[in-house]
Amino acid sequence: MSEGKKVRVWCDGCYDMVHFGHANSLRQAKALGDILVVGVHTDAEITKHKGPPVFTEEERYKMIRGIKWVDEVIEGAPYVTTLDTLDKNNCDFCVHGDDITTTADGIDTYHLVKEAKRYKEVSRTAGISTTDLVGRMLLMTRNHFRQGNEEYSIEKEGSSRMGQDHSARSPWTGCSQFLPTTQKIIQFSDGKAPKPDDTIVYVAGAFDLFHVGHLDFLEKAKEKGDYLIVGLHTDPVVNEYKGSNYPIMNLHERVLSVLACKHVNEVVIGAPYAVTKDLMEHFNVSVVCHGQTPIALGEGQIDPYAVPKMMGRFFLLDSGNPMTTEKIVDRIIKHRLEYEQRNTKKEKKELEAYEASQKLKLTQKSG
């Protein structure tokens, strides 16, 4: 390798319901080189090998472009990573997490690059996966599952308990409690303070199940200034204005999901529901924005944006994207059986692959 040549790193995947686990693997991959190229599979390929994705390929392409460590996105990347794919995109090697990914036929999707010694592995983020998030939504209370005047519980129908069952068998997609650390937050943070002459923009909300609607809104908000601060409400506050099933992701998970967005400079963890004068002065906020979702009144029926409105610093933004967290939940609920089958199939396939890898390790040790 000639001196001065930039190391190009390849990652690929479904990146369905992009979360901080995906972002963390991409952060680690970027640290192994200079330029991170990410291939994203099509809906057809994912459906064939795993089952139906929650998000469309166009939505998934956009979400990956929104992650701060990603330099290039390759649309419609093949499900099995080949040397030709790496060469065509001038990538030196491929990086993937330490979980096992297989085709519908049970073949390791990275076997070709592994054999060619052009494969590196990073640690998967424990306690989070798309399967887990889908499981959380499938297990939301039965109020979400009304048919006519009749209520029914998905648990009565023998649904998968992935997402809440701590004894779930899969070593990768079984739910485990995500344990946040200050180190993880530092890794995700830019660590850059605003410049003295920067126009500081502030937005606040739940940002639950961080999605393309959030991404487009934050991009519009960032255009209003130079430095974007996102205030994240605590779980009890979100629960109060969104209802008993929310938030689906806890505050710590939401912090990392938002910090991974390339438009965001800083996050206020557990921001007050009302945007006060003290808050605006403390962060030197010039602009406060809110999207098109309804604004719930705070304690004492007070408008949480009364202060920035009075100061002439409040803007309602239209991101042009109608996606909401509730719409994602609706997608899951409407296709409940398909996603339950997908989760069960993925768990079974991963367990088989894990057992096979453990047997191989034992054989190699005894040999």
Side-chain angles (χ1 to χ4, degrees):
M1 191 180 293
S2 62
E3 193 178 338
K5 179 187 180 293
K6 289 191 181 296
V7 175
R8 290 172 61 86
V9 181
W10 173 270
C11 282
D12 58 28
C14 305
Y15 301 108
D16 195 20
M17 290 186 63
V18 173
H19 50 69
F20 64 89
H22 292 127
N24 193 37
S25 68
L26 295 174
R27 178 191 65 78
Q28 293 177 81
K30 176 66 178 279
L32 296 174
D34 303 298
I35 296 169
L36 179 60
V37 184
V38 181
V40 183
H41 310 316
T42 63
D43 295 344
E45 281 281 270
I46 297 169
T47 301
K48 176 184 172 184
H49 295 287
K50 287 178 72 172
V54 178
F55 283 103
T56 68
E57 56 202 58
E58 292 302 326
E59 289 169 331
R60 292 182 290 105
Y61 299 152
K62 181 183 280 189
M63 284 299 289
I64 291 300
R65 285 194 175 94
I67 292 178
K68 63 171 67 168
W69 299 286
V70 175
D71 297 298
E72 298 174 25
V73 171
I74 304 300
E75 300 179 0
Y79 204 78
V80 175
T81 311
T82 65
L83 296 177
D84 182 55
T85 299
L86 295 188
D87 293 340
K88 193 163 70 176
N89 293 287
N90 300 312
C91 290
D92 299 283
F93 53 85
C94 169
V95 174
H96 187 66
D98 53 10
D99 52 325
I100 293 174
T101 307
T102 61
T103 65
D105 301 322
I107 298 165
D108 182 351
T109 57
Y110 296 101
H111 73 282
L112 297 171
V113 289
K114 284 177 180 177
E115 287 163 10
K117 310 292 184 192
R118 290 175 69 181
Y119 175 84
K120 294 187 180 184
E121 209 161 77
V122 294
S123 298
R124 184 188 166 277
T125 306
I128 187 71
S129 70
T130 298
T131 307
D132 169 44
L133 291 177
V134 169
R136 294 187 203 185
M137 283 179 274
L138 289 173
L139 287 164
M140 290 172 80
T141 66
R142 63 185 182 181
N143 292 332
H144 280 269
F145 311 106
R146 292 181 181 271
Q147 288 190 339
N149 294 322
E150 231 175 88
E151 281 188 12
Y152 67 98
S153 168
I154 58 173
E155 289 188 30
K156 288 180 183 174
E157 298 181 9
S159 69
S160 164
R161 290 190 60 82
M162 290 293 288
Q164 286 189 355
D165 185 359
H166 289 254
S167 65
R169 295 172 303 154
S170 171
W172 295 297
T173 55
C175 179
S176 61
Q177 185 63 43
F178 169 65
L179 299 173
T181 63
T182 51
Q183 181 61 32
K184 188 63 68 192
I185 292 173
I186 289 165
Q187 288 171 342
F188 271 60
S189 174
D190 282 338
K192 293 175 184 172
K195 300 186 192 78
D197 57 346
D198 277 353
T199 297
I200 297 172
V201 182
Y202 180 79
V203 301
F207 293 92
D208 195 14
L209 293 177
F210 194 81
H211 53 70
V212 285
H214 294 138
L215 182 65
D216 285 342
F217 167 69
L218 292 174
E219 183 177 13
K220 290 278 187 189
K222 183 65 175 281
E223 288 171 2
K224 288 283 185 184
D226 308 295
Y227 193 92
L228 178 61
I229 299 175
V230 178
L232 286 177
H233 300 144
T234 63
D235 298 345
V237 167
V238 174
N239 183 264
E240 193 173 323
Y241 67 78
K242 295 271 276 188
S244 60
N245 294 318
Y246 294 93
I248 292 163
M249 296 179 83
N250 67 43
L251 177 60
H252 304 301
E253 294 174 316
R254 293 184 284 119
V255 166
L256 293 186
S257 295
V258 172
L259 272 177
C261 175
K262 68 181 182 183
H263 306 303
V264 176
N265 298 102
E266 184 65 282
V267 166
V268 179
I269 303 170
Y273 188 63
V275 181
T276 63
K277 188 177 180 185
D278 284 347
L279 183 146
M280 292 183 70
E281 287 177 352
H282 180 80
F283 293 108
N284 194 25
V285 174
S286 300
V287 177
V288 176
C289 299
H290 190 273
Q292 295 298 300
T293 54
I295 300 171
L297 296 178
E299 197 175 333
Q301 296 298 296
I302 294 170
D303 179 355
Y305 294 100
V307 170
K309 283 178 180 177
M310 186 179 65
M311 298 169 75
R313 297 183 184 180
F314 179 78
F315 293 86
L316 269 179
L317 298 181
D318 185 356
S319 69
N321 193 322
M323 179 59 71
T324 62
T325 301
E326 291 77 13
K327 285 183 180 178
I328 297 170
V329 174
D330 285 344
R331 286 188 188 186
I332 299 294
I333 301 313
K334 282 176 184 171
H335 301 279
R336 180 174 60 83
L337 292 177
E338 289 175 75
Y339 289 121
E340 283 177 351
Q341 288 164 6
R342 186 181 90 163
N343 277 17
T344 303
K345 187 168 77 172
K346 182 172 171 64
E347 183 191 56
K348 183 174 181 289
K349 195 162 65 171
E350 288 192 343
L351 185 65
E352 289 169 354
Y354 178 76
E355 287 173 347
S357 70
Q358 292 301 102
K359 281 179 186 174
L360 181 62
K361 282 178 184 176
L362 284 173
T363 305
Q364 288 170 340
K365 275 184 183 178
S366 60

